[in-house]
């Protein structure tokens, strides 16, 4: 039963771009993000709205971090444009990448939230690392690779429930 609970997010949102970050800033000092289909379509470069979001978060006093299973060639240029740190080849859902991000942020787990678009990598791993988890709708599911399409089909029952059991 415990494993099943680790697959449920603490909160579900439509988009990182419509989320109430001002309210979140009252409780959280750090935000960790997945990249592909959380912030931009799979494989896309940062967009102006992404840059503005990170500027807004930094202005609110929220430290940011990217945690991605992608290689450094994908993640570093993206992170550089957002003026944020990153962990690449994170091995999600393993805890290692999240632990590295927590250490880099220098915050307590209870001060950090995580946002991602996939349950079986992003949410499962962040829950295992003890973070507050937010599942967002994918930015553009049409850009998903085939293995992610299959995972999204398997995620459907978990997306129907709004809170952890």
């Amino acid at each position: 039963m415990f494993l099943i609970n680790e697959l449920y997010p603490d909160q579900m949102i439509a988009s990182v771009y419509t989320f109430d970050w001002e309210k979140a800033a009252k409780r959280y000092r750090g935000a960790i993000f997945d990249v592909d289909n959380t912030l931009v379509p799979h494989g896309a470069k940062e967009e102006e709205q992404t840059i503005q979001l990170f500027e807004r978060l930094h202005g609110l006093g929220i430290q940011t971090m990217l945690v991605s299973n992608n290689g450094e060639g994908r993640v570093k240029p993206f992170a550089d444009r957002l003026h944020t740190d990153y962990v690449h080849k994170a091995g999600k859902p393993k805890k290692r990448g999240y632990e590295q991000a927590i250490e880099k942020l220098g915050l307590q787990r209870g001060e950090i939230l995580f946002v991602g678009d996939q349950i079986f990598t992003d949410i499962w791993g962040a829950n295992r690392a003890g973070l507050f988890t937010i599942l967002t709708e994918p930015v553009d599911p049409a850009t998903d690779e085939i293995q992610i399409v299959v995972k999204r089909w398997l995620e459907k029952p978990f997306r129907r429930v709004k809170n952890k059991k």
Side-chain angles (χ1 to χ4, degrees):
M1 186 65 171
F2 185 69
L3 172 62
I4 295 296
N5 287 341
E6 290 179 343
L7 297 174
Y8 288 99
D10 291 301
Q11 186 174 349
M12 294 173 66
I13 62 173
S15 169
V16 297
Y17 301 106
T18 58
F19 183 66
D20 187 347
W21 289 106
E22 284 72 18
K23 182 177 177 184
K26 293 176 183 173
R27 175 158 184 210
Y28 297 100
R29 295 179 48 216
I32 301 172
F33 295 87
D34 172 54
V35 176
D36 287 324
N37 261 331
T38 297
L39 296 170
V40 295
H42 186 86
K45 291 185 177 186
E46 70 288 336
E47 299 172 347
E48 188 58 35
Q49 71 175 347
T50 314
I51 295 167
Q52 289 174 4
L53 171 65
F54 275 66
E55 288 173 353
R56 180 174 156 208
L57 294 173
H58 297 155
L60 290 169
I62 297 176
Q63 295 179 58
T64 58
M65 175 78 57
L66 302 178
V67 173
S68 176
N69 283 347
N70 285 303
E72 192 167 28
R74 164 79 173 126
V75 184
K76 183 183 184 324
F78 198 95
D80 287 349
R81 282 285 281 142
L82 301 177
H83 303 285
T84 194
D85 205 349
Y86 64 94
V87 175
H88 68 285
K89 292 190 177 181
K92 297 182 288 183
K94 293 178 184 173
K95 291 176 11 178
R96 174 184 51 85
Y98 299 96
E99 298 289 345
Q100 289 174 341
I102 293 165
E103 186 175 324
K104 284 183 173 190
L105 286 170
L107 300 172
Q108 299 298 311
R109 291 170 205 281
E111 299 176 300
I112 304 168
L113 60 80
F114 174 85
V115 185
D117 69 296
Q118 292 186 58
I119 289 173
F120 297 121
T121 52
D122 299 327
I123 300 303
W124 187 20
N127 277 334
R128 292 174 66 221
L131 299 174
F132 183 86
T133 55
I134 299 176
L135 178 67
T136 186
E137 291 295 322
V139 172
D140 184 1
T143 63
D144 283 339
E145 296 171 334
I146 188 64
Q147 73 272 14
I148 297 172
V149 172
V150 171
K151 283 193 264 182
R152 290 213 194 278
W153 184 82
L154 295 170
E155 288 178 350
K156 285 182 182 183
F158 299 97
R159 285 184 175 272
R160 288 189 191 111
V161 177
K162 298 297 182 198
N163 299 306
K164 279 185 182 177
K165 294 287 180 185

